[in-house]
Amino acid sequence: MKGLTAKEEEIMNYFWHKGPMFVKELLDFYDEPKPHFNTLSTIVRGLEEKGYLAHKAFGKTYQYYAAVSEESFRRGTLRQVVHKYFNSSYLGVVSSLIEEEDISLKELKELIEKVERGSEK
């Protein structure tokens, strides 16, 4: 699945957290100066082309809804980052977190315990 631009991800967050809506309703979430309706509509149609949104027709207007869950997007994005920046090595990711001191020894132990519990199932 293709990645998202920052604006596309922002829009997807509205669909993930607010549910199905028309482009006009999406526009209501923006502060002034609001983006132009046609601009949002174009981005929403692009998200549908990429497979992230789908729609239901109501006459000549469409109500859009998320076709990809936020969790599925998150997992896919993480896989892409690990592949691109860590040569597909999750060990490399954890090593980097430890080296940068972004993860404490306590958190690392908790992670190991969680993995061990998960592998016992």
Side-chain angles (χ1 to χ4, degrees):
M1 187 163 274
K2 291 183 178 182
L4 298 179
T5 66
K7 182 56 78 177
E8 288 172 330
E9 191 171 340
E10 174 186 301
I11 290 171
M12 282 305 301
N13 273 304
Y14 287 120
F15 284 99
W16 286 323
H17 297 111
K18 305 293 184 182
M21 69 184 98
F22 299 93
V23 174
K24 185 178 182 325
E25 294 172 310
L26 178 62
L27 193 60
D28 292 339
F29 293 113
Y30 286 87
D31 295 327
E32 294 293 341
K34 293 180 183 284
H36 193 274
F37 176 89
N38 290 343
T39 301
L40 278 184
S41 184
T42 299
I43 296 169
V44 166
R45 285 193 314 274
L47 285 166
E48 186 174 29
E49 287 174 17
K50 288 182 175 183
Y52 286 95
L53 292 176
H55 73 265
K56 293 180 192 170
F58 290 88
K60 291 185 178 183
T61 188
Y62 295 152
Q63 182 185 50
Y64 293 91
Y65 59 92
V68 173
S69 72
E70 185 176 17
E71 179 62 28
S72 177
F73 173 73
R74 189 179 306 130
R75 281 193 309 266
T77 302
L78 179 60
R79 275 193 296 273
Q80 289 173 353
V81 168
V82 171
H83 175 75
K84 184 175 181 178
Y85 297 106
F86 296 94
N87 199 28
S88 298
S89 169
Y90 285 90
L91 180 59
V93 173
V94 174
S95 295
S96 178
L97 289 171
I98 293 168
E99 289 170 14
E100 299 295 323
E101 298 180 18
D102 290 337
I103 187 170
S104 69
L105 184 56
K106 179 183 176 201
E107 290 170 319
L108 184 57
K109 286 179 182 179
E110 289 172 2
L111 178 61
I112 291 168
E113 288 172 6
K114 185 175 181 180
V115 169
E116 287 173 342
R117 283 191 309 270
S119 65
E120 291 173 358
K121 294 179 180 177

